[in-house]
Amino acid sequence: MISKIFDNVREALADVPDGATVMIGGFGMAGQPTALIDALLDQGAKDLVVVNNNAGNGDTGLAALLAAGRVRKIICSFPRQTDSHVFDGLYRAGKIELELVPQGNLAERIRAAGAGIGAFYTPTGAGTPLAEGKEARHINGRDYILEYPLHADYALIKALKADRWGNLVYRKTARNFGPIMATASKVAVAEVDSIVELGQLDPEAIVTPSLFVQRVVALGAEK
C-alpha cells in the first residue's frame, strides 16, 4: 500500500544533510510551511542554500533559521522588508550570501527545473547590474539574458489537504510557489491541514499530483 504520510515533521526532515539546497514555499506568511521550518531548525542541518520569495519576517520561521546561522546563501526576490532585520544584520556583517533574482525570473527558474528546461532567455534584468556575467542576446529588437533553472534537494511546502498518495490541493493564494517547487526538488515535503481518504479529492481540483510529492505530514497529527 502506497502511503507517503509521516507521523511528524521531525521524521519527515531527519535526513536533510549539511549543504543541502532547500526551497521554502510561501509569499511572506501566506502559505509558509512554518512547522517544517521549525523542524528543520531543530534538525540541525547547516550551510544550507535556501530558495524563498523573501529573506524572512520578524524573528520566527525562516528568520529564526537565519538567526541560528544555518543558512550559507539565500536566493530570493525580496530580501528587505520592514521586518527583515535578521537578514539585514547578517548581510551587512558579511555572514550570509545573497543571490537577488527578480520574482518572475525566480518563478520561471524554478518552473524550468521541474519542466526539464536547460536554460531560457528573459528580458527581465537585461541592461542592469543583474545581467553582469550572464550571456546576452538581442532578439526581435529586444535585449535578453540567459537564466538557468533552480533545482533543489528538498522543497518544504504547505497545502490544505492531501491523500495518502500525496496528491495536494491548496487554499487560494497560499498556493503561490508550492506547486513549482514540488516539481523542482528531489524530495518534496508537504505540511497539510488534513489528510483525506483516496477518492475524496476531486481530480480536477488537484494542483500538485502525487508524482511530485514524496512526504506528507498533517498538522492535525502534530497537534
Side-chain angles (χ1 to χ4, degrees):
M1 183 179 72
I2 297 174
S3 179
K4 299 176 182 178
I5 301 171
F6 279 63
D7 290 336
N8 55 67
V9 288
R10 294 170 295 283
E11 290 182 6
L13 298 181
D15 59 352
V16 177
D18 294 348
T21 296
V22 181
M23 291 181 175
I24 299 177
F27 189 92
M29 298 301 293
Q32 184 178 116
T34 52
L36 288 174
I37 298 172
D38 289 345
L40 183 60
L41 182 61
D42 293 338
Q43 189 259 10
K46 57 182 182 298
D47 295 323
L48 300 173
V49 176
V50 169
V51 181
N52 187 250
N53 179 63
N54 64 14
N57 303 88
D59 297 290
T60 60
L62 177 55
L65 194 66
L66 298 180
R70 305 278 284 286
V71 180
R72 174 181 61 83
K73 176 181 179 179
I74 189 160
I75 302 172
C76 71
S77 297
F78 298 98
R80 297 189 67 193
Q81 298 87 214
T82 56
D83 60 351
S84 60
H85 52 269
V86 173
F87 168 80
D88 196 57
L90 291 170
Y91 186 73
R92 290 177 184 276
K95 295 181 178 180
I96 192 169
E97 182 181 349
L98 168 67
E99 181 178 343
L100 184 64
V101 183
Q103 190 171 74
N105 288 1
L106 182 70
E108 184 63 7
R109 288 179 67 185
I110 296 169
R111 191 199 70 82
I117 295 171
F120 61 93
Y121 285 100
T122 173
T124 306
T128 76
L130 294 177
E132 292 178 4
K134 296 179 180 179
E135 181 181 331
R137 289 187 62 180
H138 195 72
I139 304 172
N140 292 330
R142 196 172 186 184
D143 291 328
Y144 289 77
I145 57 175
L146 187 67
E147 294 282 5
Y148 290 90
L150 277 172
H151 298 268
D153 300 301
Y154 293 80
L156 312 185
I157 60 177
K158 179 176 174 58
L160 179 63
K161 296 179 182 180
D163 57 28
R164 64 176 172 83
W165 284 356
N167 294 304
L168 303 180
V169 296
Y170 301 83
R171 185 180 185 278
K172 302 180 179 180
T173 57
R175 172 191 311 187
N176 51 72
F177 288 91
I180 56 175
M181 286 183 171
T183 68
S185 63
K186 296 176 183 176
V187 179
V189 187
E191 69 172 60
V192 300
D193 289 347
S194 61
I195 295 174
V196 301
E197 295 297 324
L198 290 179
Q200 288 188 3
L201 296 178
D202 180 356
E204 296 296 330
I206 291 172
V207 178
T208 300
S210 59
L211 174 67
F212 300 109
V213 180
Q214 285 69 46
R215 303 172 187 177
V216 175
V217 180
L219 296 185
E222 285 290 296
K223 296 175 184 176

